[in-house]
């Protein structure tokens, strides 16, 4: 069932702006357009966004009133830092005595290098007493005389006592200066890291404020009344007002859009997402249905910016082959795009007439071992795309597909030099390229302890077919190319959920403090427009760092997908059996809710206890949860507190490392509530009760319990 309501996702890239329209009910792709990114227009990138939106509405036959959700991703913040195009920051340190000595050292941030030879423009002033208006005014005068366009206030322990920073920030805002208080960016301890994160946020603040205002005005003028959202670097979206406060969250958001698309469209629950362009491949992790996020490094230093853990390999669809004698010795990092050469496989047969292989140095500093073809039509690059087409790895209709005969003609001179046939030459080229990707992929699988029995490789980006299928073939892992892979990023923007993360350092955190952090995250996404009924909150308590972290996600409207796409009972059983590597006859249904079915089998082991692996399959036939050894219990909301208390008590382990509650997940309605991040039984049960509140007493609940080693 399609409706006239649409979700629009717009991805503003360095060269092109891509936009897609997705049916708000079925989530089917309805249309896609590409326009040049309008960097040099008087309205900046906002002009390209509105142009893309207008073309998209015309293509799909919709009106601005049909747009129920509009979000865009932008590389502006990332580019500003990469290019050193930032505002001068006026950093005002607050404090006396030892604390004051610590803040005075923050003046060294003016030595932070933005780009080679260009340092962060920063002016520093100090205030002993933030309650002294004259002293605060003098500090503001001092930094503005040095050219400060934006102000940061920082004080030791401001996460607990923010009054000093607030006083300085209020005075700066009264002067019309964009301002960031360090405690507003993060509530984690660590004066230097917290302030450095706030300084980077402030450095891009004026530019991002101007962009936000232009985009907001342009979208309103276009007649769209839906809330305007912006892509975050952790795979979610935030409101435009939140972006105005923390533009830093848009840094590194480009790769996050692609993996958001893989999560929502491809329904990946465990595996790697590989987004391949012309020059590089970004690799990110999906574990138990969630993207892997970590604190990012910025300007060469650690920060408190929680961003997608993405690792980039210099191999893409346009990467050129390197040859030494009769051997392929490498692929990339130079690509045909940078070398200014066309792909050989996209040439016409006549253009490749009399082709001979030549070794060149594409750029002055490159080794002279990059193989190209000099032919009747000119000079052409032999690329990963050429090899993938020659081996038949690129499916019909794919963005990277070419005439197989042209691909074979492109590889023939290389095969002759290598003394082999075209298929073998193409395989050696792909091996050399994917070996680099494979090394990083296997490292990430180890880092995140992905289960090789359930991990899936999903390729996105225009060059997906040049890397993912061959990597799947050589690793033995299942792999596929995402639908509409060339626009997976704007699809991810269109489908992304509102997200907020709250972190607090709370030594010995009890259930009240943990529930308070959870409530703060939940309230934050609701304030940005998320429908309260559908908000999910994942809480993690790290006993080593005493960090309580709550990540809340929610949609602006409750989603109900077309039931025509739902899988039958046999399909769900087959999916579970394949994931369990078991005969379907040995797999049984353990429990279920209207949205999920829990399947399990038994693995008998000599000299050790039997294992009971479990898979949770949703109504679309997608495995949403993998548990290598778990206990499953059915109950109701009314009986759940008593049942869960018993289950947790029975599964809690005790040892030299202390008390460790089991990993608990609850199947509630359409959700899987993941409570596995809490190790203490009492807060765990308190969180479980919070998930059950406001639900009918007879509603079914399924608990999946894993004992921790």
């Amino acid at each position: 069932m399609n409706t006239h309501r649409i979700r629009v996702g717009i991805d503003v890239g360095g060269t092109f702006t891509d936009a897609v329209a997705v049916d708000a009910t079925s989530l089917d792709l309805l249309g896609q357009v590409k326009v040049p990114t309008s960097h040099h227009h008087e309205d900046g990138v906002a002009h390209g966004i509105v142009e893309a939106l207008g073309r998209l509405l015309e293509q799909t036959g919709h009106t601005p009133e049909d747009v129920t959700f509009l979000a865009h991703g932008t590389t502006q913040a990332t580019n500003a830092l990469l290019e050193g195009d930032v505002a001068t920051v006026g950093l005002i340190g607050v404090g006396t005595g030892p604390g004051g000595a610590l803040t005075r050292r923050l003046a060294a941030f003016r030595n932070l290098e933005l780009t080679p030879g260009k340092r962060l423009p920063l002016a520093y002033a100090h205030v002993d007493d933030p309650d002294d208006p004259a002293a605060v005014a003098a500090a503001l005068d001092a930094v503005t005389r040095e050219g400060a366009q934006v102000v940061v206030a920082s004080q030791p322990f401001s996460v607990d006592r923010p009054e000093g920073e607030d006083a300085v920030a209020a005075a700066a805002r009264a002067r019309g200066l964009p301002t960031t208080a360090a405690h507003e960016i993060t509530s984690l301890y660590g004066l230097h890291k917290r302030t450095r994160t706030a300084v980077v946020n402030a450095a891009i603040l004026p530019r991002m404020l101007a962009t936000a205002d232009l985009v907001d005005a342009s979208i309103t003028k276009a007649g769209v009344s839906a809330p305007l959202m912006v892509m975050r670097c952790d795979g979610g979206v935030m409101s435009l007002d939140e972006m105005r406060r923390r533009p830093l969250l848009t840094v590194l958001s480009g790769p996050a859009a692609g993996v958001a698309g893989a999560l929502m469209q491809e329904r990946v629950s465990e595996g790697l997402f590989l987004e391949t362009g012309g020059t590089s491949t970004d690799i990110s992790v999906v574990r138990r249905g969630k993207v892997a996020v970590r604190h990012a490094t910025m300007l060469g230093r650690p920060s408190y910016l929680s961003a997608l853990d993405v690792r980039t390999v210099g191999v893409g669809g346009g990467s050129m082959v390197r040859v030494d004698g009769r051997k392929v010795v490498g692929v990339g990092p130079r690509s045909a795009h940078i070398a200014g050469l066309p792909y050989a496989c996209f040439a016409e047969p006549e253009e490749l007439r009399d082709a001979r292989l030549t070794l060149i140095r594409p750029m002055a500093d490159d080794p002279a071992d990059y193989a190209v073809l000099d032919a009747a039509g000119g000079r052409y690059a032999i690329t990963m795309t050429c090899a993938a087409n020659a081996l038949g790895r690129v499916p019909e209709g794919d963005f990277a597909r070419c005439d197989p005969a042209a691909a074979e003609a492109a590889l023939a001179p290389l095969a002759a030099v290598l003394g082999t046939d075209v298929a073998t030459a193409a395989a050696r080229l792909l091996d050399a390229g994917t070996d680099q990707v494979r090394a990083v992929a296997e490292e990430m699988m180890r880092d995140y302890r992905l289960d090789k029995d359930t991990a899936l490789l999903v390729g996105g980006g225009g060059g997906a077919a040049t890397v993912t299928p061959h990597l799947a073939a050589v690793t033995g892992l299942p792999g596929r190319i995402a639908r509409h892979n060339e626009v997976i990023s704007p699809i991810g923007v269109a489908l992304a959920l509102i997200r907020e993360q709250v972190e607090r350092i709370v030594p010995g955190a009890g259930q009240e403090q943990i529930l308070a952090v959870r409530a703060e995250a939940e309230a934050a996404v609701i304030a940005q427009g998320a429908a309260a009924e559908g908000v999910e909150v994942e809480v993690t308590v790290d006993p080593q760092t005493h960090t309580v972290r709550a990540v809340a996600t929610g949609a602006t409207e409750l989603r109900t997908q077309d039931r025509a796409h739902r899988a039958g009972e046999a399909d769900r059983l087959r999916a579970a059996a394949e994931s369990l590597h078991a005969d379907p006859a040995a797999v049984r249904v353990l429990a279920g809710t209207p949205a999920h079915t829990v399947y399990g089998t038994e693995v008998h082991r000599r000299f050790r206890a039997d294992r009971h692996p479990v898979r949770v399959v949703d109504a679309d036939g997608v495995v949403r949860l993998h548990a290598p050894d778990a206990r499953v219990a059915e109950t109701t909301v009314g009986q759940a507190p008593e049942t869960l208390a018993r289950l947790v008590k029975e599964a809690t382990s005790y040892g030299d490392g202390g008390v460790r509650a089991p990993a608990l997940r609850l199947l509630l309605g359409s959700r899987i509530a993941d409570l596995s991040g809490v190790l203490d039984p009492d807060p765990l049960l308190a969180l479980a009760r919070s998930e059950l509140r406001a639900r009918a007493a007879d509603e079914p609940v399924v608990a999946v319990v894993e004992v921790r080693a």
Side-chain angles (χ1 to χ4, degrees), residues 288 629-631 644-654 659-665 674-682 684-685 704-709:
R288 300 206 167 184
D629 190 14
R631 180 177 176 184
L644 294 177
R646 175 176 52 79
L647 290 171
V648 168
K649 181 178 180 180
E650 292 172 353
T652 296
S653 57
Y654 302 85
V659 177
R660 293 171 67 85
L664 175 63
R665 295 172 182 86
D674 189 344
L675 309 181
S676 62
V678 181
L679 300 178
D680 190 321
D682 289 337
L684 172 61
L685 291 171
V704 181
V705 182
E706 294 180 77
V707 177
R708 300 183 198 269

Side-chain angles (χ1 to χ4, degrees), residues 631-649:
R631 180 177 176 184
V632 176
E634 285 186 293
T635 183
T636 62
V637 168
Q639 298 172 337
E642 182 180 345
T643 301
L644 294 177
R646 175 176 52 79
L647 290 171
V648 168
K649 181 178 180 180

Side-chain angles (χ1 to χ4, degrees), residues 163-313:
E163 296 82 9
E165 288 184 1
D166 287 341
V168 173
R173 288 173 180 139
R175 296 188 178 203
L177 288 167
T179 303
T180 296
H183 75 273
E184 295 174 339
I185 299 300
T186 176
S187 295
L188 297 179
Y189 295 138
L191 177 66
H192 273 69
K193 191 185 294 188
R194 184 171 68 250
T195 306
R196 186 165 54 245
T197 306
V199 163
V200 176
N201 183 79
I204 59 175
L205 190 55
R207 178 173 176 176
M208 298 302 288
L209 284 173
T211 297
D213 291 342
L214 281 170
V215 173
D216 194 14
S218 299
I219 293 297
T220 301
K221 186 178 179 181
V224 175
S225 58
L228 178 59
M229 299 287 170
V230 184
M231 196 73 199
R232 293 166 52 116
C233 54
D234 56 10
V237 291
M238 59 183 169
S239 68
L240 199 62
D241 284 343
E242 190 60 31
M243 193 276 271
R244 289 186 172 102
R245 190 170 74 90
R246 294 185 292 171
L248 184 64
L249 291 175
T250 67
V251 173
L252 308 175
S253 62
V259 74
L263 268 177
M264 301 300 294
Q265 176 188 270
E266 298 299 311
R267 307 296 299 276
V268 181
S269 59
E270 193 96 351
L272 299 177
F273 177 68
L274 303 98
E275 186 163 15
T276 302
T279 303
S280 62
T281 295
D282 292 330
I283 309 173
S284 47
V285 169
V286 177
R287 186 170 186 270
R288 300 206 167 184
K290 300 179 180 65
V291 296
V293 172
R294 66 177 180 179
H295 286 150
T297 297
M298 293 187 303
L299 308 185
R301 305 288 178 86
S303 75
Y304 277 139
L305 173 66
S306 290
L308 190 75
D309 183 2
V310 58
R311 304 181 197 178
T312 302
V313 183

Side-chain angles (χ1 to χ4, degrees), residues 573 580 586-593 596-602 612-616 627 629-635 667 701-704:
L573 174 61
L580 289 163
V587 176
R588 57 195 179 92
V589 175
L590 303 179
T593 68
H596 297 97
T597 308
V598 185
Y599 297 91
T601 188
E602 194 169 24
H612 300 86
V614 164
R615 300 292 185 265
V616 177
D629 190 14
R631 180 177 176 184
V632 176
E634 285 186 293
T635 183
L667 277 55
V701 179
V702 175
V704 181

Side-chain angles (χ1 to χ4, degrees), residues 387-432:
N389 275 287
L391 271 188
R393 300 277 194 215
V394 186
E396 191 75 42
D398 189 88
F399 186 77
R401 174 85 172 187
C402 75
D403 182 351
E408 290 187 19
L411 268 291
L414 175 64
V417 168
L418 299 179
T420 187
D421 57 29
V422 166
T424 303
R428 290 179 185 175
L429 196 164
L430 289 178
D431 284 343

Side-chain angles (χ1 to χ4, degrees), residues 112-125:
L112 288 174
E113 193 172 59
L114 288 168
T115 60
K118 185 170 185 178
R119 301 193 180 279
L120 177 74
L122 183 139
Y124 181 83

